[in-house]
Structures are given as structure tokens and as C-alpha cells.
Amino acid sequence: MNVLKKAVFVLLVVFLSSCKSDKKEASKLFKKENLIPWSIVGFDVKERTPKQRLEMLERLGYKQYAYGYRPKHLPTMAQEWQLAAQKNIKLSAVWLYVNLYKDSIGALRPDAEAVFKNLEKVGLKTQIWVGFYPEYFNDLTDAEALKQSVNMISYLSKRANKLGCKIALYNHGGWFGKPQNQLRIIKALPNEDLGVVFNFHHAHDSLDNYHENIKSLLPYLWSVSLNGMKAEGPKIITIGKGNLEKQMIQQLIDLNYRGPFNLLGHVKGGDPEVIIEQNYQGLQLLFSKK
């Protein structure tokens, strides 16, 4: 074998070893202990009770989930969290939706205030994923939007810290959902321990800047919600049914992001038990060892 052939052979071996290593790493990342079922409470055609929902998670093989509620779930919120603790199922996060038309510092509307009351009642220490009503920012200047967001996040973070919880910014559209604005908020509050939950399904408006965005968010990235992705939409599709999600996930891996990842159970009129499993299977196929 001449020198050129040897060099080509070595490069081929290195390439194949790298591919094998990447697939092995991906298979570790996407085990169920590194995946968080998300949006399984508010969108459930079967309207499961807390007990039924936790039994569903047990059937699927998950020991954690994130809790996103609707006002109708307020009466059973604390009960569900207590039952989850009894079953050793971790509440990885709780959703908090802020509408600055109705919420102000020191005076959250009742269904938002209930999150803090129940966190204190149960003694749950977890992340609080904060999304803002996007349309509120439409009539504000950039400076006004930044000031009001910083003030509200500062208030929420201080309240959360007193309970042993932390605030993560959740991209939910509008000014507040843009990664560059979330970074500005975080940097304006250097004494608060803030993170980011990045959601694929709310990122269709910034796909051209995706790599740049996640690279800048990486130091604060606490969780990533996965979804099938096509530039033209629709907004929510099964993982593996799009043509962009594998590349987007691989870029996270290449940046050394190691999870956790969230699996959506969110389809109006759908059964989250079916949807979560479909997303899990789609993710496994995307990063199959074959």
C-alpha cells in the first residue's frame, strides 16, 4: 500500500469511527431519563385526572415531566404534584404564563399567582418556565419592551428564589420570544440565576439564524423542546416527519449540548400518550445506530 492509499485508509477509518461515536453519543442523549414529556396536561383529549396522567407516564417509562396547566387544572395542581412525589416522578418544570395586560409586579392574576401558592404549599423546588403573551409587545418600543420584561422577570425570579426555584425564559413568540431579547434580559439581571428553554415549534420565524441563536444561548440553555420541523410549517409535527429537525438537533450535539430535551405531547384534540410515543420513536429513528 503506497503512502497516498495509506493516508486515504486512515482518514476513512477516522471518519467511520467518528460517525460511530456520534451515533453512540446520540443514543445516550435520547434515552428516556434524558427526555422530559411536556405539554401533556393542557392538551389531552382524554382529560386525564392527575392519577391517570401519572400512570400514563409510568406506562411510557418516564420518571419526570414538565407541568403546563390551564385554569381548569388549578383545583388539582397541588394534588398532582404531591402524587408525583409519592410515585418518585420528578416535576422538572412548571409553566407560568404572564400577560402584562393583566399581570403586574406584586399583583399577578389569580391563575398565575396559584403557581407560587402551590409551589410553596407542596414545597416543590423546580424550574419555572415563563412565557409572555406575545401580542402585548406589539405597541411598545424596544426600550419599553426591555424595561417591562426585565422588571417582571426580576420580580418573578426573586419570588422563585425564595421558594428554592429558578426562572427559565420560554420562547413563545413575539418580542419576548426572540433569542437576542432573551439574552438582553438575562444580561440585564446578572445577579439572578436565569436560564432559557428553547422550543423548536416556536422558532419557525428565526430558522435562518438558528445556529447563531443556539450558540449564543448555549451558556443559559436549560432545556430544548424538540419537534418535527419544516420551514413552511405546520408549527407542530411529529419528530422525524420534518426535513430540518435532525440537522437542528445535530447542531446542538456538535455544540456539546447534552440535554435535557423535551418531547411534546401537544396537539389539539390529541392523546398525549400516543403523541409522546410517536415523537420518541421518531427521535430514535433519526439517530438510529444503523
Side-chain angles (χ1 to χ4, degrees), residues 212-247:
E212 178 185 337
N213 286 338
I214 59 166
K215 189 174 181 180
S216 61
L217 289 173
L218 192 65
Y220 312 100
L221 202 55
W222 289 357
S223 194
V224 177
S225 300
L226 304 179
N227 181 58
M229 294 293 287
K230 295 180 180 179
E232 68 277 12
K235 181 179 175 181
I236 295 177
I237 56 177
T238 303
I239 298 170
K241 300 297 184 182
N243 56 10
L244 296 175
E245 63 268 30
K246 184 173 184 178
Q247 175 187 345

Side-chain angles (χ1 to χ4, degrees), residues 79-273:
Q79 174 196 349
E80 180 158 345
W81 298 353
Q82 290 166 334
L83 185 57
Q86 292 169 17
K87 288 178 169 286
N88 292 316
I89 294 177
K90 179 183 177 183
L91 263 296
S92 301
V94 173
W95 165 249
L96 177 64
Y97 193 53
V98 173
N99 183 342
L100 291 174
Y101 285 125
K102 302 176 181 179
D103 295 307
S104 58
I105 294 171
L108 300 180
R109 68 192 192 286
D111 54 316
E113 185 63 40
V115 171
F116 287 100
K117 289 182 178 178
N118 283 312
L119 286 168
E120 184 174 15
K121 176 181 178 180
V122 177
L124 178 62
K125 302 181 191 310
T126 189
Q127 295 176 15
I128 304 173
W129 293 352
V130 177
F132 277 42
Y133 178 64
E135 283 77 8
Y136 176 81
F137 297 92
N138 290 348
D139 298 323
L140 299 183
T141 66
D142 179 72
E144 290 170 337
L146 181 61
K147 181 179 179 180
Q148 292 187 35
S149 296
V150 167
N151 289 342
M152 178 55 80
I153 291 297
S154 176
Y155 164 70
L156 295 175
S157 181
K158 287 176 171 57
R159 287 196 64 181
N161 288 341
K162 289 178 180 178
L163 300 175
C165 297
K166 297 180 181 180
I167 297 293
L169 311 186
Y170 184 102
N171 61 316
H172 196 267
W175 184 94
F176 182 79
K178 295 185 182 302
Q180 62 269 31
N181 292 332
Q182 293 188 331
L183 285 170
R184 292 165 71 197
I185 293 167
I186 290 172
K187 290 176 180 179
L189 296 167
N191 296 323
E192 302 296 334
D193 187 4
L194 302 172
V196 170
V197 180
F198 186 86
N199 301 278
F200 278 18
H201 63 296
H202 286 300
H204 284 86
D205 63 347
S206 58
L207 287 175
D208 290 344
N209 300 316
Y210 169 74
H211 183 73
E212 178 185 337
N213 286 338
I214 59 166
K215 189 174 181 180
S216 61
L217 289 173
L218 192 65
Y220 312 100
L221 202 55
W222 289 357
S223 194
V224 177
S225 300
L226 304 179
N227 181 58
M229 294 293 287
K230 295 180 180 179
E232 68 277 12
K235 181 179 175 181
I236 295 177
I237 56 177
T238 303
I239 298 170
K241 300 297 184 182
N243 56 10
L244 296 175
E245 63 268 30
K246 184 173 184 178
Q247 175 187 345
M248 292 170 68
I249 296 168
Q250 187 61 54
Q251 288 183 58
L252 282 161
I253 296 171
D254 292 344
L255 287 169
N256 207 34
Y257 178 75
R258 293 297 179 261
F261 296 94
N262 311 318
L263 291 183
L264 287 180
H266 175 166
V267 174
K268 286 186 178 180
D271 181 347
E273 183 163 8

